Amino acid sequence: MFENRNYGIDILKAICMFYVVILHALGRWGLLDPAITGGQQYYAAWFLETLAFCAVDCFALITGYLSYRDGVSKLKLGNIILLWLEIVFYGALNISIKKIFGLSIQENELRLSFCPILSNAYWYFTAYLGLYLFIPIIMNGLRIISDRHSKVILAGIILIFTIMETCTGNFNTASGYSFVWLLILCIGGGIIKKIDLFPKVSSNAKIFIILSCCILSYCLKMNSGILRSDIILSKVFINTVEYISPFMFITAVSYLLLFSKLAIKSEKLKRMAKGMGEGAFAVFVLNNPRFVYDSFLHSIFEVSPVSSVLKIVISLTLCAIVFVLGTFVMDYARRKLFYYIGINRLLCRLDLLLNEQ
């Protein structure tokens, strides 16, 4: 079943959403502020931040990797509409729960739920929408160029949009919080699949690269104060925990290479991986302070900046695990509902109508 599906990528999506929950919790609990958090807690928090920071880069690379194919790529508006409907569904559910239990509702709650692009409530979805319209053009372009040219482009991405952009900021990627950066990563992901990058590199070597980049990024971040910021090239070693950092880019590429080749033979594990992949976007949607579910879980596991390192690590891990698993269960029910009321069939018909010759 699902013969063409890459189950390793589905598992990577779940891991990335686990990382995203950790990133948001670290920021919300104030653990990354040296003025609040001191000593071992501060260093532990930043290590977790560094470990998880590649998640967004992984998602954009995955988009390019899964979008590339040998045949003609077509625009599938149904997919992006389905993501928007998912945001609307959880927004409406959240408002309903608040109404039932008499909880306060923000004045702009409806606008945030039904028009996320206008409010930029979800920056990644806003940037992804802009990217999505260009995916057929990107993938059809990559399909007709040679592997040699593809490798040159990939090298150019590393040199120009990670190293040079980290140093100068002249290419307007907004440190990675932009449509431009997602577009670049999408191209990179497509190239990685097209040329089958580093097919002979072992899984152990990829894990070693991931850990090495994380540790090096962390050590440089913690000692960035000793580097001279007025020297342009030194910014590569100062701004290591950013989406556009070459360290984060290499880490994300290594994750993609590792999990895209992951072989899963058990049918049960395949079904679980498929469910996790399909539920990943719901984690992103619900991991927002205005949602009752998010606020409830974060209040249960919340720690203070003076908590022990062990308590911080355990609380963050448990919060992320419970959040992700709980969301997967909820989104399974949402997918069943969408299926039974015919939303999926309707969107498939829309795509067929759009792409018929």
Side-chain angles (χ1 to χ4, degrees), residues 99-283:
K99 281 280 189 181
I100 292 171
F101 291 96
L103 302 174
S104 61
I105 299 175
Q106 300 177 22
E107 292 182 5
N108 60 345
E109 191 87 26
L110 284 173
R111 181 164 57 88
L112 291 173
S113 299
F114 294 95
C115 303
I117 302 169
L118 297 179
S119 60
N120 200 27
Y122 304 97
W123 78 266
Y124 189 90
F125 177 74
T126 303
Y128 183 77
L129 176 63
L131 164 66
Y132 196 80
L133 295 175
F134 290 93
I135 287 179
I137 299 173
I138 295 168
M139 297 307 150
N140 287 323
L142 289 178
R143 183 169 53 86
I144 63 176
I145 65 174
S146 67
D147 286 2
R148 177 179 295 180
H149 287 163
S150 298
K151 292 175 182 177
V152 171
I153 293 171
L154 187 60
I157 288 174
I158 297 173
L159 176 62
I160 297 172
F161 293 105
T162 65
I163 296 175
M164 291 181 63
E165 174 67 354
T166 302
C167 292
T168 66
N170 289 339
F171 296 95
N172 299 317
T173 63
S175 297
Y177 293 90
S178 68
F179 151 74
V180 175
W181 179 238
L182 296 194
L183 180 71
I184 292 163
L185 290 175
C186 181
I187 294 171
I191 290 174
I192 288 169
K193 186 174 182 180
K194 173 184 171 66
I195 66 176
D196 191 18
L197 186 66
F198 301 137
K200 297 182 179 180
V201 176
S202 68
S203 296
N204 289 337
K206 294 168 189 173
I207 293 172
F208 176 78
I209 292 171
I210 290 169
L211 294 177
S212 298
C213 284
C214 288
I215 293 171
L216 183 58
S217 297
Y218 171 74
C219 291
L220 289 169
K221 174 67 180 179
M222 292 298 95
N223 294 280
S224 59
I226 65 175
L227 298 174
R228 291 183 56 183
S229 60
D230 58 325
I231 301 176
I232 291 181
L233 281 177
S234 68
K235 292 182 180 179
V236 173
F237 305 103
I238 295 174
N239 304 319
T240 56
V241 189
E242 289 189 2
Y243 295 139
I244 60 172
S245 165
F247 298 102
M248 289 301 153
F249 180 79
I250 293 171
T251 301
V253 168
S254 299
Y255 267 112
L256 179 62
L257 294 176
L258 176 65
F259 282 91
S260 63
K261 303 299 182 183
L262 190 64
I264 300 177
K265 297 180 179 180
S266 168
E267 292 299 327
K268 184 177 181 180
L269 289 178
K270 286 181 179 180
R271 286 193 294 270
M272 292 176 60
K274 180 175 181 288
M276 290 189 293
E278 292 176 342
F281 184 70
V283 180

